[in-house]
Amino acid sequence: MKKLSDNRRNLLKFLLASPLISTAAFTQEFQMDEMDPDIQYLLNLQKKLIASPDDAINIFDLEAVARRSLPPAHYGYIATGVADERSQISNLLGYKKLKLRARRIRDVREIDTSVTIFGRKWPSPLAIAPTGHHRAYHNNGELAVARAAKNKERLMMLSNVTSTSVEEVNEARGEPVWFQLYARDHWPSSLKMIRRAEAAGCEVLILTVDMVGAGKRETQDRFMMMDRRNCSACHGDVRSPFRGRPMYEGVNLDDYLGAQELFNWDLIKRIKDTTNMKLVVKGITHALDAKLCVENGVDLIIVSNHGGRAQVDSRGTIEILPEVVAAVDGKIPVMVDGGIRRGSDIFKALALGATAVDIGRPYLWGLGAFGQAGVEKVIDIFDAEFKTVMQQTGATSINQISKEMLTS
Ligand SMILES: Cc1cc2nc3c(=O)[nH]c(=O)nc-3n(C[C@H](O)[C@H](O)[C@H](O)COP(=O)(O)O)c2cc1C
């Protein structure tokens, strides 16, 4: 009996080493519980919980630690999209459907991954998306992310629902972040935050326009049901994403919360008339809106569906990107986020016309798992993978990445 199982194990090891056999075929033929744990790990069916960010092989190793370490309600807040997660899944599948067409016989020893946005050169097209409440994932919260962004020289966008003030974050980052605002018809709070971001030295304002209609975050609700802690000790009796947040000091939340669905293009004009900051609109998913952005003086568009957290049944953002790029016709830069999990995904976005990309959940996994070191590891993994893909496809600089290098 023992001999039979040893033979099976050896056969599995032999087959695993064979490039001709796909792992998918294995999982159908053999039951998981029959397998040697090492083989399960190789097949990525069961992740080992790493003890140090240095041990991470890919960004999902950090996700596994974050999931284990964080309170269920906090992990659920990162994980959730809306309803049955079709928008979030579309973001991920959009990238998987695209394949790379590589060029060969090129000298790819030197790879230049730098990009320039608003006249500022960055070493990589990978930026940090605005996400709220970082102290829910690590005590150092936004400061840990800012220090990682500083060490890795990364563009950092800061959410208006940050748990640390923009002044402190800018100091930790060593240069001003791009400050993100929610589009609401509550001008007093918008104006207050615009002036505060300006005074802190921020040169770029992001207006997020996709949080319209209350998103039904079912995954989050399910994780919250698993959480047995006394949440009111931190959250108080009335839970609100805005209450107690430093950028909302002095804002009448009753008025603010009532002002979600009222805005229109006048808000864009009003902001443009109010500030000299560059204006980025985040959350565009339609060519016609992209055109209107250009007509209304927007300086950069981020194609985004909020990581599948706002609208139900969205197309994957990588599928939306081409129509927005075509509509904008080179007049302003376009970025994209949502579902970027590999260096090859960055490559695909750039091949379809994005100037740069931003990531949300991946760096929050790093933060939740190991704080600043975890965020830095996530950035390192993306950088290494992206550089390798550039070498594999024969692109030595960003302007050599083109849509001819993709196929579906
Ligand atoms: C936990 C979490 C909080 C977020 N908070 C904000 C926010 O405050 N403002 C905003 O514009 N986008 C927010 N987003 C959306 C991100 O900026 C970004 O669009 C999205 O995370 C990209 O998708 P990805 O997580 O698949 O990378 C949040 C996303 C997550 C996961």
Side-chain angles (χ1 to χ4, degrees), residues 130-132 159 180 182 208 282 304 306-307 337-339 341 360-361:
T131 62
S159 166
Q180 179 262 327
Y182 277 121
T208 297
K282 175 172 182 280
S304 173
H306 220 101
D337 72 26
R341 302 290 181 266
R361 293 181 184 86

Side-chain angles (χ1 to χ4, degrees), residues 74 77-80 88 91-92 128-134 137 157-162 180-182 206-211 217 282 302-309 337-341 358-365:
H74 293 195
Y77 184 69
I78 298 177
T80 198
Q88 193 174 177
N91 282 349
L92 297 165
I128 305 272
T131 62
H133 321 293
H134 289 183
Y137 318 122
M157 307 177 191
L158 181 71
S159 166
N160 65 97
V161 284
T162 171
Q180 179 262 327
L181 197 68
Y182 277 121
I206 303 167
L207 188 71
T208 297
V209 297
D210 53 16
M211 290 291 275
R217 295 189 171 169
K282 175 172 182 280
I302 305 180
V303 174
S304 173
N305 57 20
H306 220 101
R309 298 163 75 80
D337 72 26
I340 293 167
R341 302 290 181 266
D358 53 296
I359 48 163
R361 293 181 184 86
Y363 81 84
L364 293 179
W365 297 335

Side-chain angles (χ1 to χ4, degrees), residues 6 10 13 45 60 65 75-76 87 95 97 120-121 125 128 138 172 217 228 234 243 269 272 285 288 315 325 376:
D6 282 352
N10 287 338
K13 281 184 175 159
L45 295 172
F60 303 105
V65 178
Y75 176 79
S87 299
Y95 284 99
K97 281 188 227 156
R120 159 75 154 99
K121 190 171 170 186
I128 305 272
H138 191 273
R217 295 189 171 169
R228 302 269 170 259
C234 297
R243 192 160 278 115
K269 186 174 177 333
K272 290 290 293 179
T285 57
L288 293 176
R315 289 174 290 163
V325 168
E376 291 187 11

